[in-house]
Amino acid sequence: LSVALSGTVLSRCPACARNFANLYCNNICSPNQSLFTNVTRVVNHTTVQGTPQLAVVEYQCFYRQDFAD
């Protein structure tokens, strides 16, 4: 949903929408997240089933210059 909504906002620039989606997917789905992500804030969260969990609400990402380019 988040990427679709951003795509709608960025639809005038397909390259921008593609770049945003690529960055979003790397942040969320990369198997190497631990190499470039630093979690800075978590909160307690209870699932629908009543199970307590921690939820990440803030993080920092560190990318190499060639990825940013």
Side-chain angles (χ1 to χ4, degrees):
L1 179 63
S2 298
V3 175
L5 181 59
S6 300
T8 301
V9 172
L10 296 171
S11 65
R12 291 183 178 199
C13 178
C16 293
R18 216 171 19 258
N19 287 340
F20 181 83
N22 184 38
L23 185 61
Y24 181 85
C25 290
N26 268 299
N27 286 345
I28 304 304
C29 303
S30 173
N32 300 317
Q33 284 178 335
S34 65
L35 301 177
F36 60 84
T37 303
N38 178 39
V39 174
T40 57
R41 187 169 160 226
V42 296
V43 295
N44 291 317
H45 169 71
T46 304
T47 67
V48 175
Q49 293 81 17
T51 307
Q53 291 183 331
L54 291 177
V56 174
V57 294
E58 186 176 288
Y59 61 93
Q60 296 172 312
C61 285
F62 303 94
Y63 296 115
R64 292 188 326 242
Q65 185 65 44
D66 63 331
F67 179 82
D69 290 343

